[in-house]
Amino acid sequence: MDKLQIIGGRLLAGEVRVSGAKNAALPIMCASLLTDQPLALDNVPSLMDVRTMSKLLAQMGVEVGDQEGGRVQLQAANIANPVAGYELVKTMRASVLVLGPLLARCGRAKVSLPGGCAIGARPVDQHVRGLQAMGAEITVEQGYMHATAKRLRGARIAMDLVTVTGTENLMLAACLAEGTTLLENAAREPEVVDLAHCLRAMGAKIEGDGSQAIRIQGVNALSGARHRVMPDRIETGTYLAAVAAAGGKVRLSAAAPETVAATIQALREAGAKISCRADMIEIEMDGRPGSVSVTTAPYPGFPTDMQAQLMAMNCVARGKAEITETIFENRFMHALELQRLGADISIQGNTAVVQGVARLQGASVMATDLRASASLVVAGLVAQGETLIDRIYHLDRGYEALERKLAGLGAKIARVR
Ligand code: EPZ
């Protein structure tokens, strides 16, 4: 099994290009199910999760072209097999995003329950409740959701909590429903807005995306479209946190600075000098960062997907930081691994107290989930000596060419057997 070997203690310098956003590309690929016309996408990141989604859609009968230089074309001329099987769904929870579009297009779907993962139980009750409100019949048998709907009808859906893929699933379903759907307490994440942009290009009538109330007026059919996926704001934040921790001066190109405001604010508080211009972010960090306390929250708050990376930076900061995780119930697994590198972290409920230390020592550690792995990479970049990170298939799910990009910034990092 591949490992990442990092020799820490080097400054980062140079320019890195941000890839397309994983969490925008995945729901947008599912939008192809809503039309029999081709959907042509640009700036799709080359990632394990994108390949998994391509396989899942192809199994249903969607023609998925080869991904060339960020371009991929999908066409669901007809959907022979509206099924998402456990084998693929268990490797990627975002597979649940096919449920809404399959119901809207075919009137039936059989989708495996995603099951939990390292960071939490991750139920999909809001997805199910919303689709039922739109007239779907959904039963759960032997780990599968069996869903049918003659034709979905528009509904007013007040969601009990903010859910990103829940909002996306219902928005996808509502595009072809009879009448108007109002999603209240909707997620405001930029990936939801990017999906709405793509759907509007396909002829959907959507307004309010980016706010807590999204209105979708159903239409009879959608056409194909061309769409460029937004830059990945979590990949952006990860590189910014790496520079804030390791020191140096880096420019990020093809970025969307307006989508990483909370992360930029936290890193400026840590002492990083950050300037933004159009699609460019420049960060400079001299010496140790200052400790920064955060509480994760739905967008535009501090993102839960950046919590682990900021914890890694706080491990070598001057002072004490309190990191409170409010979105997932078990998202401190990386703390146990960071402690192996010499970090001083104590967990009290959903708050981690991080006392910064002057030096971390390299060690062998194990990745447990996607963003936990990213935090171990950040820590490895600053630790003295060699850090060996095992189970890096987690990283490959969500970071395109990570070691090539970091090596390009001067890091001593390599993939070893
Ligand atoms: C999306 O997951 C992202 N994944 C996650 O990114 C991200 O951490 C999360 O949103 C929060 O921002 C994709 O977009 C593919 P939620 P999602 O539904 O939609 C509870 C990464 O690292 N909930 O917003 O699954 C849930 O348990 C991944 O790229 C219900 O109770 O997250 C959680 O506590 C990790 N019932 C909270 O809501 C539901 O029906 C927020 O989850 C749905 C969610």
Side-chain angles (χ1 to χ4, degrees), residues 217-291:
Q217 189 184 328
V219 294
N220 288 328
L222 291 181
S223 64
R226 245 203 123 69
H227 178 77
R228 181 176 181 76
V229 173
M230 66 174 275
D232 193 312
R233 64 189 171 97
I234 305 302
E235 183 198 24
T236 303
T238 302
Y239 283 101
L240 291 173
V243 178
K249 184 173 181 181
V250 168
R251 171 180 298 180
L252 286 82
S253 61
E258 68 283 1
T259 64
V260 280
T263 298
I264 288 175
Q265 183 186 328
L267 297 179
R268 279 177 171 151
E269 212 183 301
K273 284 204 253 5
I274 300 176
S275 57
C276 305
R277 198 179 58 251
D279 67 347
M280 190 76 73
I281 301 174
E282 196 158 85
I283 179 169
E284 186 168 2
M285 186 71 179
D286 294 325
R288 279 174 72 184
S291 296

Side-chain angles (χ1 to χ4, degrees), residues 305-375:
D305 289 353
M306 276 302 305
Q307 178 258 103
Q309 299 90 308
L310 194 81
M311 186 184 289
M313 185 210 77
N314 274 314
C315 287
V316 291
R318 282 176 279 99
K320 183 168 84 166
E322 291 198 356
I323 296 181
T324 301
E325 173 57 61
T326 69
I327 306 291
F328 291 109
E329 65 268 29
N330 186 34
R331 202 169 198 174
F332 284 145
M333 308 271 274
H334 41 283
L336 303 174
E337 296 302 305
L338 291 168
Q339 284 165 342
R340 288 181 49 75
L341 299 172
D344 178 352
I345 306 171
S346 64
I347 308 289
Q348 293 146 17
N350 69 339
T351 294
V353 179
V354 186
Q355 180 64 50
V357 295
R359 270 261 169 273
L360 294 176
Q361 299 299 328
S364 293
V365 288
M366 188 176 77
T368 51
D369 60 85
L370 171 54
R371 306 306 174 180
S373 338
S375 85

Side-chain angles (χ1 to χ4, degrees), residues 93-117:
R93 313 177 27 71
S95 308
V96 71
L97 284 164
V98 302
L99 181 58
L102 283 176
L103 267 179
R105 174 83 186 277
C106 316
R108 62 194 175 92
K110 178 184 171 189
V111 175
S112 167
L113 280 170
C117 74

